[in-house]
Amino acid sequence: MDKFYLVTFQNTHEAIKAEREALKKNVRVIVVPTPTHITKSCGISLKTDEKNIKSIIKLIELQNINVKKIYLVDGESINPMTIGLN
């Protein structure tokens, strides 16, 4: 997965809630440590691919999950997405 999305959260509770809801809907996510150079607010993030990012965003909006930011990671490049979340 050279190009992927990283969903960061305000706290661990929201990250676990997002993972649980994604698994219920069969949306592929992987729990990964949050790189400290991105944010220090929560130690875990969700990693997903291009195929699943729209489903994750929809799930976040429908379930009212508090997300800090979503990043597109492409090789060495890490860029925040500009989307209308919460």
Side-chain angles (χ1 to χ4, degrees), residues 23-59:
L23 294 175
K24 280 184 193 176
K25 302 286 185 191
N26 294 318
V27 177
R28 186 172 175 259
V29 296
I30 301 168
V31 176
V32 296
T34 303
T36 54
H37 64 277
I38 291 178
T39 184
K40 292 178 173 117
S41 63
C42 178
I44 61 174
S45 298
L46 295 184
K47 180 179 178 179
T48 194
D49 57 19
E50 184 113 33
K51 179 178 155 189
N52 289 289
I53 190 62
K54 288 182 183 177
S55 297
I56 291 291
I57 292 169
K58 184 176 179 181
L59 181 137

Side-chain angles (χ1 to χ4, degrees), residues 65-79:
I65 297 169
N66 293 316
V67 169
K68 186 160 189 171
K69 213 168 258 194
I70 299 177
Y71 294 88
L72 171 59
V73 180
D74 191 358
E76 297 292 318
S77 173
I78 301 172
N79 298 300

Side-chain angles (χ1 to χ4, degrees), residues 9 13-23 46 59 65:
F9 300 89
H13 174 76
E14 294 296 316
I16 298 300
K17 179 180 173 184
E19 179 198 23
R20 183 178 59 241
E21 294 300 324
L23 294 175
L46 295 184
L59 181 137
I65 297 169

